[in-house]
Amino acid sequence: MFKVQKNIIYEDEAILVVYKPAGIATQTARLGQQDMVSELKNYLAKKSEFKEKREPYLGVVHRLDQPVSGILVFAKTKQAAAELGRQITSGKMHKFYYAVIYGRPDVREGRLENFLYKDAKSNLSLIVKEDFPNAQKAVLEYKLVKSLMALEENAEPEEISLIEIKLITGRHHQIRVQMSYRGMPLLGDNKYGSDKSKDLSYEIKCRNVALCAYKLEFFHPISRKKITFERLPEGDIFIPFFTRNF
């Protein structure tokens, strides 16, 4: 059973910073399904500062897809939520990710700029032209960190790579779509992966998207001081990159 207290990285009167494991939703309306918002509200309700018979406030500032792990910041007051929201809109909150992709990028580092359209019916995002209705510009920067050989039973080893990504814009499934479009599909991604990346993911039992929001930088909503939180990915797919002479 998932216990959210163990994943709290930092807490004060204005914010809660937590590490969301892969497989747990940020927020869901599905009955009986755990999610970070519900667990954190239960945690806050049990604290002495919330003895009144009211639901504690928890502002959702940003989200991570259910199969993605990483750091999230939540607001404990409406004022903090508004300030953090302004930082996202103005580009003052910076998000950094580690991703494991199939293969090795042709260029060690680069900047990807595309226009995305979210298809609400299929819950997929598509690369479209700039003049496509409701298209949104998506930008990220990436660099190769390290490549390794993934070993399968009765098969030739295949190369996989750890990529660091700085997210400039926050669009629906942005990293997964853009990286796949440029021939760098993430392992464990059944929605946007290539046939080869899906096959390898199945063979090595990579069941969640190999993507982790490992670092978050923003200005504290009260003190206005710049703060940074960082945590290495916990998924098995990441471990070899951090244990083999990283």
Side-chain angles (χ1 to χ4, degrees), residues 145-164:
V145 178
K146 189 175 184 179
S147 295
L148 296 173
M149 302 304 293
L151 303 178
E152 303 177 64
E153 292 184 6
N154 304 317
E156 292 294 324
E158 297 182 72
E159 196 167 30
I160 60 175
S161 300
L162 180 69
I163 305 294
E164 183 185 35

Side-chain angles (χ1 to χ4, degrees), residues 86-100:
R86 283 191 288 269
Q87 291 185 38
I88 290 178
T89 303
S90 61
K92 293 181 179 180
M93 182 179 290
H94 300 298
K95 306 169 189 176
F96 299 84
Y97 293 74
Y98 279 132
V100 180

